[in-house]
Amino acid sequence: MPPSVPPPSSPPAHAEPVPSPLSPPAPGESAPPPGATLPTSGAAHRLRVALLMAGSCLPILGAVLIAPVLPKMQDHFADVPGAAALVPMALTVPALALGLLAPFAGVIVDRLGRKRLLIVATVLYAVFGTAPLWLESLGAIVASRALVGIAEAAIMTCCTTLIGDYYSGRMRDRYLALQTMCASASATAFFVIGGAAGSAGWRTPFWIYAVSLLIAPLMAIGLPKPTTSAAAAAEDGVSTDATGITATAVASKHPFPFRQLAGICGLTVFGALVFYAVPVEMAYLLDDLGVTATSVIGPATAIASAATVAGAITFAKLSGAPAPRLPLVFALCAAGFAVMWLANSAPLLIAGAVLNCLGTGLLLPSLLTIAMSKLDFADRGRGTGLWTASFFIGQFICPLMLIAAESALGTLAAAVGLLGLASAVVAAGLFLAARRGAPAVAPLPQ
């Protein structure tokens, strides 16, 4: 599915290797490692992780599922005035609604609680998502898609906030990387599923939104309610029992870190432009090179998506804080864009896309980890909402920015090259800021 410069989180309090997110527990392992508010092994743990990852994939489903059936929708509503603009909006308006409303979802998360809002939003996701099955008006369908975006804002904010509540340190970093991996892999899978379902009619893919009705009851059962004391323990390294309740409550109170979040949220908007450039424009770039066969375009896009997953896996295996690596990550993305700009053949274009997507796979969890490091329990919902809004606003404006650049420069490849140049400038700026020792996105002390 999203994704700045000194250390984002406290170093792990133990030297032992952290288990893989979904790995089975080692023999005799029962107590959670330092910095974890809940046990990190066993069936309950694996269910908890699976539910958070499944919830995180729902907004990705909304973004790509109906893309393959847009031409059929266009034909069905050909006689409707404004259909040429309204049909594409059915795909993009959820991301816009998500980006605009995620900060408000974050406020509600902090006031009403993460779990309650997540369950309600997951049920509403199915209600709004399946609405086009019986709606006949194109305007009503677009409105229902906006409501899907509202539900997605709550779901994405809650899932990411709960990851921050349940885990800390290296464990949190790994699960945020896993979230990126699942989102990237699911995007490819949902595109294929949407295309297959669309062969039965343009309305058929909307049935898939009902899957959230299966997930919501499991969330009610399998996700524990986080507590302020448990989350504070995760930040301070205080040991917890199996229920996640600390022996000593340790909660600090400070003003919401708007100023500290401003830098990372601004960088995240640009990071989203970088992240979505290849998925959005790959088919058009191949078409400009004379490659129009879907048998080539599909696998090429899948290879790029796999590179994003590989980058996220690499992030999970790296030690140390992600912030000092950001200049190199942006430079890697810039190099990929440069190769794509200069490519005169499909293999070279795909190679550039892979290079870029390796960078974006590292970029998204790095940005999210840095943002999470600035937030305590009381602020985490609002902070996560602001970060989520920044990322999805960047997603929404990505194609608009590239279209404008293409219009000014003459070719889409040149527009991608310009984005690569901007990425290189950002990489240089972050590097120089780190050298000066006064980065604008330093984390708050925990």
Side-chain angles (χ1 to χ4, degrees):
M1 103 273 12
S4 9
V5 275
S9 57
S10 302
H14 56 96
E16 292 81 358
V18 181
S20 172
L22 295 177
S23 61
E29 181 182 15
S30 58
T37 64
L38 293 169
T40 54
S41 63
H45 161 69
R46 289 192 291 271
L47 175 62
R48 184 165 64 245
V49 172
L51 290 172
L52 290 174
M53 296 307 127
S56 299
C57 288
L58 293 178
I60 309 303
L61 183 151
V64 303
L65 183 68
I66 67 169
V69 300
L70 289 183
K72 291 185 177 180
M73 286 185 65
Q74 194 80 58
D75 294 340
H76 181 83
F77 292 106
D79 297 331
V80 176
L86 289 174
V87 169
M89 282 183 63
L91 180 66
T92 59
V93 76
L96 178 61
L98 196 160
L100 294 177
L101 297 174
F104 300 100
V107 172
I108 297 173
V109 164
D110 284 334
R111 292 187 178 180
L112 298 185
R114 293 87 154 106
K115 181 177 176 180
R116 182 187 309 170
L117 180 61
L118 176 59
I119 294 169
V120 172
T122 303
V123 172
L124 292 177
Y125 179 87
V127 175
F128 301 146
T130 56
L133 291 170
W134 53 81
L135 292 174
E136 294 296 335
S137 165
L138 180 57
I141 290 175
V142 172
S144 74
R145 300 292 293 163
L147 294 175
V148 168
I150 295 174
E152 289 175 347
I155 292 169
M156 197 68 178
T157 301
C158 289
C159 287
T160 305
T161 301
L162 285 171
I163 292 173
D165 291 342
Y166 292 157
Y167 309 105
S168 69
R170 287 287 307 280
M171 291 298 293
R172 178 190 294 170
D173 294 352
R174 286 177 177 245
Y175 289 125
L176 292 176
L178 181 63
Q179 188 182 38
T180 301
M181 291 159 49
C182 292
S184 300
S186 67
T188 301
F190 291 145
F191 191 89
V192 173
I193 292 171
S199 63
W202 69 267
R203 293 185 190 268
T204 306
F206 290 99
W207 280 109
I208 300 173
Y209 284 90
V211 70
S212 64
L213 293 177
L214 301 177
I215 299 174
L218 295 176
M219 288 177 168
I221 297 170
L223 295 180
K225 181 180 179 181
T227 62
T228 305
S229 58
E235 301 300 337
D236 295 344
V238 178
S239 60
T240 62
D241 61 19
T243 64
I245 305 301
T246 57
T248 303
V250 281
S252 61
K253 186 65 178 176
H254 57 261
F256 186 81
F258 283 112
R259 184 174 60 83
Q260 293 89 340
L261 278 176
I264 188 64
C265 286
L267 192 60
T268 296
V269 173
F270 179 76
L273 294 176
V274 174
F275 186 88
Y276 277 102
V278 170
V280 169
E281 304 296 347
M282 187 66 175
Y284 296 101
L285 290 166
L286 286 168
D287 184 72
D288 289 344
L289 292 175
V291 179
T292 58
T294 55
S295 59
V296 176
I297 294 175
T301 305
I303 290 171
S305 296
T308 302
V309 174
I313 293 173
T314 302
F315 173 88
K317 293 183 178 297
L318 293 174
S319 60
R325 296 192 295 265
L326 273 181
L328 181 60
V329 170
F330 274 107
L332 181 61
C333 295
F337 282 138
V339 173
M340 296 172 68
W341 170 40
L342 299 172
N344 56 8
S345 66
L348 189 58
L349 178 67
I350 294 170
V354 167
L355 188 62
N356 174 269
C357 289
L358 281 171
T360 59
L362 291 163
L363 178 62
L364 181 56
S366 297
L367 294 173
L368 182 52
T369 298
I370 295 167
M372 294 291 285
S373 73
K374 303 173 186 298
L375 305 167
D376 63 14
F377 181 87
D379 299 330
R380 195 166 288 139
R382 283 174 291 170
T384 303
L386 287 172
W387 186 91
T388 302
S390 301
F391 183 76
F392 281 92
I393 287 173
Q395 174 190 343
F396 180 78
I397 67 176
C398 175
L400 304 179
M401 296 288 289
L402 288 172
I403 289 172
E406 179 184 5
S407 176
L409 299 175
T411 66
L412 180 58
V416 169
L418 180 62
L419 184 55
L421 177 61
S423 300
V425 170
V426 169
L430 291 173
F431 177 76
L432 293 175
R435 289 289 298 271
R436 287 199 304 269
V441 292
L444 292 175
Q446 297 292 341

